[in-house]
Amino acid sequence: MFRSLAQNSQNFNDLLLGPTAGGIADHILDVTPPLRAGSYSGDLRLTRLSVDGAHQREMTFDVRARTVERDYGGDSILGLGAVSIYRTEHFPPPLLAFSALGLDQVRQVGIGASYNERWKASAR
């Protein structure tokens, strides 16, 4: 059984979009909320080996499973107006209004079986 977990903290993306020849751009702030992604996965294998002299038989059964949950979306996107790309603008911390988070869920299960026969070669 394996477990993986990734947790990202809140992230601020400060963007200047569509700059003009005069150095004016639209100032956009895209804030992503804390997001997480986690999964469990595992593999179970059963093997039966039978040897009868030079003849060998092997039967294998496998079961593999995985479950994943991941948050996505929820950004708060704020238009802060037109600014000069040549000056540093300071503004008070904005009020953030996050959209709803989405949850992506995956459940996977796979099964399999194999059968092998082998004969040892005899050299004479």
Side-chain angles (χ1 to χ4, degrees):
M1 176 74 68
F2 298 97
R3 169 78 170 143
S4 69
L5 181 64
Q7 293 180 316
N8 298 322
S9 59
Q10 189 172 18
N11 188 34
F12 290 80
N13 301 296
D14 197 12
L15 308 170
L16 297 175
L17 303 177
T20 65
I24 301 298
D26 291 324
H27 191 185
I28 305 293
L29 184 63
D30 180 2
V31 183
T32 58
L35 301 175
R36 69 170 196 84
S39 70
Y40 288 97
S41 59
D43 186 337
L44 176 66
R45 179 176 295 173
L46 300 172
T47 301
R48 167 88 166 120
L49 179 63
S50 173
V51 178
D52 182 18
H55 188 202
Q56 178 179 317
R57 295 176 192 91
E58 182 180 82
M59 177 72 87
T60 303
F61 294 98
D62 286 309
V63 176
R64 295 180 180 174
R66 180 173 185 224
T67 180
V68 179
E69 289 189 355
R70 180 181 71 90
D71 296 331
Y72 66 93
D75 291 23
S76 178
I77 300 175
L78 303 161
L80 302 174
V83 296
S84 170
I85 64 173
Y86 302 114
R87 287 189 304 214
T88 301
E89 299 286 334
H90 297 282
F91 55 91
L95 294 175
L96 302 176
F98 292 103
S99 61
L101 279 177
L103 178 63
D104 185 24
Q105 295 180 313
V106 175
R107 306 275 188 262
Q108 297 173 315
V109 176
I111 59 172
S114 66
Y115 179 76
N116 292 303
E117 286 191 80
R118 294 183 190 95
W119 285 267
K120 291 183 182 176
S122 58
R124 295 186 192 226

